[in-house]
């Protein structure tokens, strides 16, 4: 079974631009979560989608948004990029939610100049 | 509030020896899962092992075992017979129920260095 895939793997943007990251979960997985990882803040939860509905959201500004499609694929969008948005963005999927093991994709490295 | 604490920023271990990475957690959920992930320099988070809060036996997966002490709220990872390829960042994580919003929270991580 194929793992979680994320595209693109690397991205360079400038301040003020917007970016869309994509995540395809493992087949049969309905829960998709997004995380931001930076050296200073560690791994921080962005949001979770389950059955096309956002179920939970972390403490991030409204510039960060996401959605999930009927095939469970998910996208996250960051508008009006800031230098501090430079990070590794990780997507993880699981079959269900409670206690379920999340499997991670390779991540998208975003650099904002 | 839910919290994961990893108190060892860095650890060294000799190749072929065993090493224990510490993890303590805090939650008010009765049902939760505890996980360990490995993150090599490539950045990908690799799932290693899972322990459910109601599991009475410690989880094992090959060279990895989880020393689960529920009363002490600890979930230490033991790696036996360390290999050079084990050098990486290791994260302890927890995913709970309603109280935690079903999201996974992570500790700060422990960087493991395996010496030849």
């Amino acid at each position: 079974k194929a793992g979680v895939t994320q595209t693109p793997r690397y991205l360079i943007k400038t301040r003020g631009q917007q970016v869309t990251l994509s995540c395809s979960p493992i087949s049969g997985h309905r829960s998709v979560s997004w995380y931001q990882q930076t050296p200073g803040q560690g791994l921080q939860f962005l949001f979770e989608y389950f059955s096309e509905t956002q179920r939970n959201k972390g403490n991030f500004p409204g510039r960060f948004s996401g959605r999930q499609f009927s095939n469970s694929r998910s996208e996250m969008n960051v508008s009006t990029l800031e230098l501090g948005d430079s990070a590794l963005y990780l997507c993880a999927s699981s079959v269900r939610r409670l206690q379920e093991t999340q499997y991670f994709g390779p991540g998208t490295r975003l650099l904002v100049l | 509030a839910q919290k994961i604490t990893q108190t060892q920023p860095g650890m060294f271990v000799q190749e072929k020896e065993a090493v224990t990475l510490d993890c303590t957690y805090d939650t008010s959920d009765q049902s939760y899962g505890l996980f360990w992930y490995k993150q090599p320099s490539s950045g990908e988070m690799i799932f290693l092992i899972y322990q459910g809060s109601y599991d009475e036996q410690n989880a094992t997966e090959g060279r990895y075992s989880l020393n689960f002490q529920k009363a002490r709220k600890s979930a230490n990872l033991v790696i036996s017979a360390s290999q050079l390829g084990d050098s990486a960042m290791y994260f302890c994580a927890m995913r709970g129920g309603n109280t935690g919003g079903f999201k996974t929270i992570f500790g700060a991580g422990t960087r493991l260095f395996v010496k030849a």
Side-chain angles (χ1 to χ4, degrees):
Chain A
K1 193 182 271 192
V4 179
T5 58
Q6 290 186 247
T7 56
R9 293 292 311 278
Y10 303 92
L11 208 48
I12 300 175
K13 292 285 188 179
T14 56
R15 278 182 300 175
Q17 288 187 310
Q18 76 164 20
V19 65
T20 299
L21 311 182
S22 181
C23 171
S24 291
I26 293 171
S27 178
H29 286 198
R30 295 167 62 196
S31 170
V32 175
S33 298
W34 289 88
Y35 297 87
Q36 181 196 65
Q37 187 178 27
T38 59
Q41 299 296 320
L43 274 154
Q44 293 186 286
F45 171 79
L46 278 158
F47 27 65
E48 182 208 3
Y49 287 87
F50 183 80
S51 294
E52 301 177 65
T53 303
Q54 187 180 89
R55 303 293 178 143
N56 209 344
K57 184 171 167 60
N59 197 20
F60 279 82
R63 300 184 297 106
F64 291 81
S65 63
R67 59 177 174 169
Q68 187 181 34
F69 302 95
S70 58
N71 62 358
S72 294
R73 190 178 70 86
S74 177
E75 289 182 346
M76 68 163 281
N77 183 276
V78 188
S79 62
T80 319
L81 284 165
E82 300 178 359
L83 296 180
D85 297 333
S86 295
L88 177 65
Y89 290 88
L90 291 161
C91 165
S93 75
S94 63
V95 176
R96 290 173 295 271
R97 303 179 71 211
L98 176 62
Q99 296 181 264
E100 284 274 326
T101 300
Q102 291 185 307
Y103 295 91
F104 284 79
T108 295
R109 288 192 186 273
L110 172 65
L111 177 62
V112 181
L113 302 175
Chain B
Q2 299 196 318
K3 189 176 180 181
I4 295 280
T5 303
Q6 293 179 255
T7 57
Q8 306 154 313
M11 290 276 289
F12 285 87
V13 64
Q14 197 68 38
E15 191 179 12
K16 298 180 185 177
E17 291 185 350
V19 63
T20 298
L21 307 184
D22 295 340
C23 172
T24 58
Y25 63 93
D26 192 18
T27 181
S28 53
D29 282 326
Q30 295 301 309
S31 182
Y32 50 89
L34 294 160
F35 311 86
W36 279 90
Y37 290 89
K38 171 184 178 181
Q39 188 177 42
S41 56
S42 62
E44 185 165 2
M45 296 283 281
I46 302 167
F47 166 70
L48 295 177
I49 196 166
Y50 162 83
Q51 178 86 40
S53 57
Y54 293 115
D55 294 341
E56 294 187 353
Q57 289 197 319
N58 289 339
T60 60
E61 288 286 348
R63 295 186 298 111
Y64 305 107
S65 61
L66 198 153
N67 185 356
F68 180 46
Q69 297 187 45
K70 193 170 182 177
R72 298 177 64 182
K73 292 190 174 180
S74 75
N76 298 338
L77 176 71
V78 180
I79 305 175
S80 63
S82 297
Q83 302 171 356
L84 295 178
D86 293 335
S87 293
M89 196 74 168
Y90 289 81
F91 291 95
C92 178
M94 175 173 64
R95 190 175 195 185
N98 283 324
T99 304
F102 299 96
K103 64 185 180 187
T104 302
I105 60 168
F106 292 83
T110 295
R111 186 167 294 281
L112 179 66
F113 300 92
V114 181
K115 300 181 291 184

